[in-house]
Amino acid sequence: MHCPFCRSTDTRVLDSRVAEDGSAIRRRRTCPSCEKRFTTVEQMQLTVLKRSGTSEPFNREKAISGVRKALKGRPVSEDDLARLGQTVEDALRSGGWAEVPAHEVGLAILSPLRALDEVAYLRFASVYRGFESADDFETEIAMLRAERATPQPTG
């Protein structure tokens, strides 16, 4: 680890703590050369295994780019979209995957998108699940209506 102040490579760890959610480690460090202290954060690298067999680091912006297309013309703010992206990343990280199959990224998007905007959900699901006819849309809409009609437990 290089010191951010003097670029020395001889730094010492003074203290290590697991972050609140357990997905990262905070380390308090000191540099013997300049005697300054600094903090580093180590976070688990989430990688996506693509259909082609290659893998790449998870990119939240790439994951929500398709969602952004589905939301075109819908009354959803960028803040809402950013929260959706965080929710998707949190869900994937909590799954404990070393490599997340690309298919799972799409699945992780569907539920929070449905809660955010049903029209965008239908648009996204139609592409993601490969709807081929109006019947596919009708089936999905019937399921949405049935879920809406079922009383949700409060608690």
Side-chain angles (χ1 to χ4, degrees):
M1 173 58 58
H2 291 277
C3 171
F5 304 103
C6 72
R7 304 297 298 156
S8 171
T9 57
D10 184 29
T11 62
R12 274 191 18 239
V13 174
L14 299 175
D15 182 44
S16 294
R17 296 179 189 213
V18 176
E20 305 82 41
D21 62 357
S23 67
I25 298 174
R26 286 188 56 229
R27 298 196 194 278
R28 192 70 181 141
R29 297 177 178 266
T30 185
C31 175
S33 299
C34 68
E35 298 183 359
K36 295 200 179 189
R37 292 182 177 196
F38 57 99
T39 301
T40 59
V41 178
E42 296 175 23
Q43 189 165 18
M44 176 185 77
Q45 177 69 50
L46 186 61
T47 58
V48 177
L49 182 60
K50 298 168 71 173
R51 287 183 209 126
S52 66
T54 62
S55 58
E56 64 182 37
F58 175 78
N59 180 330
R60 188 184 308 172
E61 186 56 38
K62 185 175 179 180
I64 61 175
S65 67
V67 175
R68 186 174 275 115
K69 292 173 192 166
L71 285 165
K72 190 169 179 81
R74 301 297 303 155
V76 176
S77 71
E78 281 298 314
D79 286 344
D80 291 334
L81 194 54
R83 278 190 290 278
L84 182 134
Q86 182 65 54
T87 300
V88 169
E89 185 172 352
D90 290 347
L92 293 172
R93 285 189 185 280
S94 70
W97 301 90
E99 280 189 325
V100 179
H103 177 74
E104 292 295 327
V105 176
L107 289 176
I109 290 170
L110 288 172
S111 180
L113 182 57
R114 182 173 55 219
L116 180 62
D117 187 281
E118 288 181 345
V119 172
Y121 165 77
L122 284 170
R123 290 174 178 171
F124 186 86
S126 71
V127 174
Y128 182 72
R129 292 186 177 154
F131 288 8
E132 295 181 8
S133 69
D135 291 340
D136 295 334
F137 280 96
E138 288 174 358
T139 302
E140 195 69 29
I141 291 168
M143 193 174 73
L144 286 170
R145 286 185 176 141
E147 286 177 10
R148 199 181 307 140
T150 305
Q152 301 297 317
T154 57

